[in-house]
Amino acid sequence: MSRFDLVIIGAGPAGLMAAIAAHPLRILLVEGKSKPGRKLLVTGAEKCNITRSGSLDDFLSGYGANGHFLRFALQHFSNHDLVHFFTSRGCPLITRADGKIFPKSEKASDVLHALLEENRRLGTHFLFSESVHRIHRQSDGFVCHTKGSQLSAASVLIATGGKSYPATGSQGQGYSLATSLGHSVIAPKPALTPIYMQNFPLRNLSGLTFTPAEISLIRNGKKIHTRKEPLLITHQGFSGPAVLHLSRFIEPSDHICINFMPEMNHEKLEAALLAAPPGRTLNSFFAEFLPKKFISEMIHLAEIPEGQRLSSLSRENRKKIIHKMLSFPIREFQTGSFLEAMATAGGIPLEEIQPRTMESRICPGLFFAGEVLNIDGDTGGYNLQAAFSTGFLAGNSARLNLQGRQI
């Protein structure tokens, strides 16, 4: 039986960074795929938006209610630390006007190369094409069982990811390993996905973008989340940052409404319609704000005659077109699957993890990092930064723990 100080399960961004932070321990990184970093290579359309500029508070707001859990991890290994890590290892970065940070080459493979080269330099041991299917505690640590071997370790770090992009190896295996050691799991669901509708009424407008629109999530008659960001109409529904970000919070029975004119509310738009020259048509009035093709489609959906003049627009039809433009309802829809989700919501409850170390509160010596935790953020570098920060903190904590020290 092979003996290690630390076995890390999962060679994605969190696991690779954890291995670097944990040196000089004797470390084994176990990866079920034949090569490491499969999911990292496809992030950001293979350009790899690794993080973003901004303050700690800017980052915490990108993770919703769970952002507070990441405060210490982001302080311990910040976006500035991450930038220094890569630039000092031959991977120059660029910061775009929107704050997103990419490798200068715009190649995710360069990010992965830097992580692997540092691990090789430090002497990390790798085991590929082997999945850990069982872990059990023993008096001096853990034994990890794969199909072909038994691996003894003083500590174990689970960094298996969530369930998004399962072809890259993220198939949720970390959840069963965690539950076997006493943890619970919040049911994982796809996050950062488009939404789809059967018989989508705006399918003829596919490709049209609104920058921005305001989209609200309605639950039990109350708005619980609102995003004011770019929105894209697709053949089957909606995408773009506004929908992707809102998808993280959608539950069954929720519905959505869209304001295509976020600078307007119902009272303001009605006042503008009443004050406009009566000889104008609805089409010409809205052409000041919206694309002509979209206006015609919405007038048609409101069952108002094309070319309707404001002078003869009934009160009922005025209310109908205002409702279509400012409160477009989406009641029967579904979010995308794990096959296209950019992230996973749910996972190991944060209440079961020490935020200052990433060590389990339930099973001492067991650590977690990355998307296996119940953490998911907005697009734009939040999720990779969380993976790197929690990975670094978990690896460093495992090292200090075995060396009898504290952070």
Side-chain angles (χ1 to χ4, degrees):
M1 183 185 299
S2 301
R3 175 74 180 180
F4 296 90
D5 295 320
L6 175 65
V7 168
I8 300 173
I9 307 170
L16 289 167
M17 186 61 79
I20 292 167
H23 276 281
L25 299 182
R26 179 172 166 80
I27 300 160
L28 176 67
L29 240 171
V30 184
E31 169 57 46
K33 292 293 185 179
S34 60
K35 295 180 179 179
R38 293 279 296 273
K39 187 174 180 181
L40 182 65
L41 289 175
V42 301
T43 58
E46 301 182 5
K47 296 179 180 180
C48 198
N49 176 194
I50 64 168
T51 187
R52 61 186 301 111
S53 60
S55 68
L56 174 63
D57 288 337
D58 292 335
F59 264 91
L60 295 179
S61 67
Y63 302 99
N66 289 338
H68 66 92
F69 175 86
L70 287 172
R71 179 174 290 277
F72 188 79
L74 290 169
Q75 288 174 335
H76 191 69
F77 192 72
S78 69
N79 53 335
H80 306 294
D81 295 323
L82 186 64
V83 167
H84 176 73
F85 174 88
F86 282 107
T87 55
S88 64
R89 289 165 175 81
C91 182
L93 307 174
I94 55 170
T95 303
R96 296 186 177 178
D98 59 3
K100 296 177 182 179
I101 298 177
F102 291 80
K104 189 174 182 180
S105 64
E106 295 193 333
K107 293 180 180 179
S109 56
D110 287 353
V111 174
L112 179 58
H113 178 76
L115 290 166
L116 291 175
E117 283 301 301
E118 185 66 3
N119 270 286
R120 289 173 182 135
R121 185 184 73 81
L122 293 170
T124 302
H125 299 270
F126 287 89
L127 178 62
F128 294 117
S129 301
E130 288 275 8
S131 295
V132 174
H133 59 79
R134 184 163 64 92
I135 305 173
H136 76 261
R137 287 294 306 265
Q138 57 183 20
S139 58
D140 60 347
F142 302 83
V143 176
C144 301
H145 298 263
T146 73
K147 185 177 180 179
S149 59
Q150 294 183 19
L151 310 166
S152 175
S155 294
V156 169
L157 196 163
I158 296 177
T160 50
K163 296 186 71 173
S164 58
Y165 297 132
T168 65
S170 296
Q171 299 177 341
Q173 61 268 42
Y175 305 137
S176 60
L177 295 176
T179 55
S180 72
L181 294 169
H183 281 273
S184 56
V185 174
I186 296 170
K189 64 178 184 177
L192 301 179
T193 78
I195 59 174
Y196 300 107
M197 301 174 66
Q198 289 189 340
N199 304 314
F200 181 46
L202 302 181
R203 58 187 172 276
N204 294 331
L205 302 176
S206 177
L208 203 60
T209 300
F210 297 83
T211 52
E214 186 175 270
I215 178 168
S216 298
L217 184 63
I218 313 297
R219 184 173 299 161
N220 299 323
K222 296 181 179 180
K223 287 185 181 181
I224 61 167
H225 290 287
T226 298
R227 304 294 299 222
K228 186 178 178 181
E229 293 173 297
L231 177 74
L232 170 67
I233 297 177
T234 69
H235 286 291
Q236 297 174 286
F238 296 95
S239 189
V243 162
L244 295 176
H245 292 153
L246 209 67
S247 71
R248 295 164 50 203
F249 308 106
I250 292 174
E251 299 288 349
S253 79
D254 289 349
H255 71 273
I256 287 170
C257 71
I258 300 175
N259 181 352
F260 293 101
M261 303 171 64
E263 72 281 1
M264 291 282 191
N265 58 34
H266 285 244
E267 294 77 16
K268 187 176 179 181
L269 182 53
E270 182 167 36
L273 283 165
L274 291 171
R280 293 186 69 178
T281 64
L282 268 180
N283 299 68
S284 66
F285 173 85
F286 282 110
E288 296 182 17
F289 310 98
L290 297 162
K292 292 181 179 180
K293 187 177 181 181
F294 175 79
I295 296 165
S296 295
E297 192 70 30
M298 297 299 273
I299 289 173
H300 171 73
L301 290 174
E303 300 179 331
I304 299 172
E306 188 75 20
Q308 172 72 59
R309 293 190 179 277
L310 298 181
S311 59
S312 54
L313 181 66
S314 68
R315 182 177 183 276
E316 179 186 1
N317 281 345
R318 186 170 64 249
K319 297 291 186 184
K320 283 166 65 176
I321 193 62
I322 290 173
H323 184 74
K324 291 292 184 187
M325 295 296 191
L326 304 189
S327 300
F328 188 83
I330 307 172
R331 296 188 179 277
E332 296 184 4
F333 65 93
Q334 62 185 41
T335 57
S337 71
F338 283 116
L339 295 175
E340 58 187 323
M342 298 181 192
T344 302
I348 309 304
L350 303 182
E351 296 79 11
E352 298 177 4
I353 309 297
Q354 301 274 5
R356 297 181 70 87
T357 60
M358 296 295 132
E359 186 174 13
S360 167
R361 295 181 186 271
I362 294 168
C363 182
L366 177 66
F367 296 81
F368 293 89
E371 200 176 359
V372 70
L373 295 165
N374 181 29
I375 296 172
D376 57 285
D378 290 346
T379 60
Y382 291 98
N383 289 296
L384 271 180
Q385 179 68 56
F388 287 126
S389 292
T390 57
F392 189 93
L393 178 57
N396 196 34
S397 299
R399 175 180 65 83
L400 295 175
N401 187 48
L402 289 175
Q403 294 174 342
R405 297 161 55 196
Q406 294 183 342
I407 294 177

